[in-house]
Amino acid sequence: MKQIAIAVLFISFWVASCASPRQLVEPPRAITSTSSVVAEQGPFKPDANLYLCPNSTITNAFEADSNDRILNFNPVILVDGKVVMTPVPVNAACMTSGFGTRFGRTHKGLDIQAGTDATIYSAAPGIIREAGFSTGFGNYVVIDHGQGIFTRYAHMARFGPGVAQGVTIGFGQPLGIIGQSGNATGIHLHFEVLTGNYNTPKKSFGLTARDPLSFPPYTGFGAGS
């Protein structure tokens, strides 16, 4: 019954969001040039807008308009003045939980809901440092984007072809399929932006989680961007 309710919720969101055409953002070349690696760019183009999932209680969400569109959302961001990336690496999605206090604990990322079998993409180029399974995150990937900036993608149903530790990956390349593995109450992507020193015994679990929606927009669009 829970999965049926989730399906009905997503269909409701899909109908509402399709009332007007989805707008996509052409990724700037700076997404590649600011990373520590140069790799082939994938097919992904970020959605221009992000919506709150309808009929859900979100205690840590950003302010939204009457259509549940998150205000001041930036589809392409600049993390600490160093790395250009997208904060929502999946299309036709809505947010079920933001960064911050949730049920008395700190939720260290964004929970993004999308249709069954939706593809999750790399938010920026980098090197895959972790691709494995944990009790909490289920199937998850951690990408090192250089300059002490990382991203985590959790609860995947399965990894994409060739996704493995040590592999170099470009922006917008498929990482896997959205799912419910690990400690998850429904099908969604848990996405984190992490900063710090990876070379400790804790690896990615010793990094500092940052709010993906708190970073400023990348403003270098145009010629040479």
Side-chain angles (χ1 to χ4, degrees), residues 25-67:
V25 174
E26 190 70 33
R29 289 193 295 274
I31 285 186
T32 295
S33 64
T34 60
S35 176
S36 61
V37 302
V38 176
E40 182 179 358
Q41 186 162 303
F44 175 70
K45 295 181 180 180
D47 285 351
N49 296 298
L50 177 63
Y51 293 82
L52 303 177
C53 293
N55 304 317
S56 60
T57 301
I58 305 175
T59 59
N60 51 7
F62 273 32
E63 185 179 1
D65 65 17
S66 59
N67 294 317

Side-chain angles (χ1 to χ4, degrees), residues 80-140:
D80 290 348
K82 300 174 182 177
V83 174
V84 180
M85 68 170 65
T86 179
V88 181
V90 63
N91 286 128
C94 61
M95 188 171 75
T96 61
S97 186
F99 183 99
T101 303
R102 184 182 71 173
F103 308 129
R105 301 176 61 182
T106 300
H107 183 242
K108 297 182 178 182
L110 303 182
D111 283 352
I112 304 297
Q113 183 176 301
T116 303
D117 292 333
T119 299
I120 299 166
Y121 298 92
S122 53
I127 299 172
I128 297 176
R129 296 299 182 195
E130 300 173 20
F133 181 88
S134 76
T135 302
F137 287 132
N139 296 317
Y140 77 97

